[in-house]
Amino acid sequence: MPLTHRKDLGLLALRLGAGGVLLAHGSQKLFGWFGGAGIAGTARGMEQMGFTPGRESAIAAGLGEAGGGVLLALGLATPAAGAAAAGAMAGAAAVHAPAGFFAQSGGFEYPALLGFVAAGLGLSGPGRFSLDHATGHRLDRPATVVMAFALSAAAATVVLSRRAATLAAAEASDPDRDADSRTA
């Protein structure tokens, strides 16, 4: 098997694996599948974690994960898919950051890994076994990569800055507030 085909198979495996996991997580948020809370429950959780408004935050996170996951798995609009999923995972990593790095202590290891894999796929491209390849890479151009990651980084910065301000305001109004509520 030629080396290029092995790389393409590797990219396909990464896309299917990461895309499937992201789709499952987003489906929990959007539809309540796989034991998830659905929009209403996720919205309440988002509010508790400092993401306001909760419903819009739940929809955005769910779409970033599920939509990014489906597109990554298909290898369609791969730069936008990778950037959207990475942006959603930046929010998840921020929630888990106070618990440290490792997942067994509630840390950000898992969302960071998903975010880095999604970003890596968005930057590297989907490989031959993809819809982007089949469509002549119409949605996978260098300008798309730059625009998708710039927009995702800007959106994540705004969302995380707003969350930090919301948490600071809540802390100021209730100094005895339990710090564990930040990772609800």
Side-chain angles (χ1 to χ4, degrees), residues 19-105:
V21 170
L22 287 160
L23 172 61
H25 279 281
S27 296
Q28 288 180 309
K29 292 171 179 65
L30 295 172
F31 311 117
W33 296 350
F34 311 114
I39 292 290
T42 301
R44 286 189 298 276
M46 294 296 249
E47 291 273 348
Q48 291 174 344
M49 291 181 277
F51 294 101
T52 57
R55 180 174 172 76
E56 289 80 356
S57 297
I59 292 169
L63 288 175
E65 292 175 11
V70 166
L71 292 173
L72 279 175
L74 294 173
L76 181 63
T78 305
M89 290 298 98
V95 169
H96 291 275
F101 178 72
F102 292 104
Q104 71 261 26
S105 60

Side-chain angles (χ1 to χ4, degrees), residues 11-184:
L11 288 168
L12 175 64
L14 284 171
R15 289 193 351 259
L16 291 174
V21 170
L22 287 160
L23 172 61
H25 279 281
S27 296
Q28 288 180 309
K29 292 171 179 65
L30 295 172
F31 311 117
W33 296 350
F34 311 114
I39 292 290
T42 301
R44 286 189 298 276
M46 294 296 249
E47 291 273 348
Q48 291 174 344
M49 291 181 277
F51 294 101
T52 57
R55 180 174 172 76
E56 289 80 356
S57 297
I59 292 169
L63 288 175
E65 292 175 11
V70 166
L71 292 173
L72 279 175
L74 294 173
L76 181 63
T78 305
M89 290 298 98
V95 169
H96 291 275
F101 178 72
F102 292 104
Q104 71 261 26
S105 60
F108 66 94
E109 173 184 17
Y110 184 63
L113 177 64
L114 282 175
F116 281 119
V117 170
L121 288 167
L123 292 169
S124 71
R128 288 181 203 214
F129 307 119
S130 66
L131 290 178
D132 276 337
H133 182 76
T135 61
H137 294 277
R138 285 189 174 89
L139 300 173
D140 181 26
R141 306 268 188 216
T144 307
V145 174
V146 172
M147 185 171 44
F149 279 92
L151 288 173
S152 180
T157 299
V158 168
V159 167
L160 293 176
S161 295
R162 286 180 52 195
R163 176 180 183 258
T166 299
L167 292 175
E171 178 102 9
S173 68
D174 184 7
D176 295 326
R177 182 172 184 241
D178 183 10
D180 288 342
S181 67
R182 291 181 184 197
T183 60

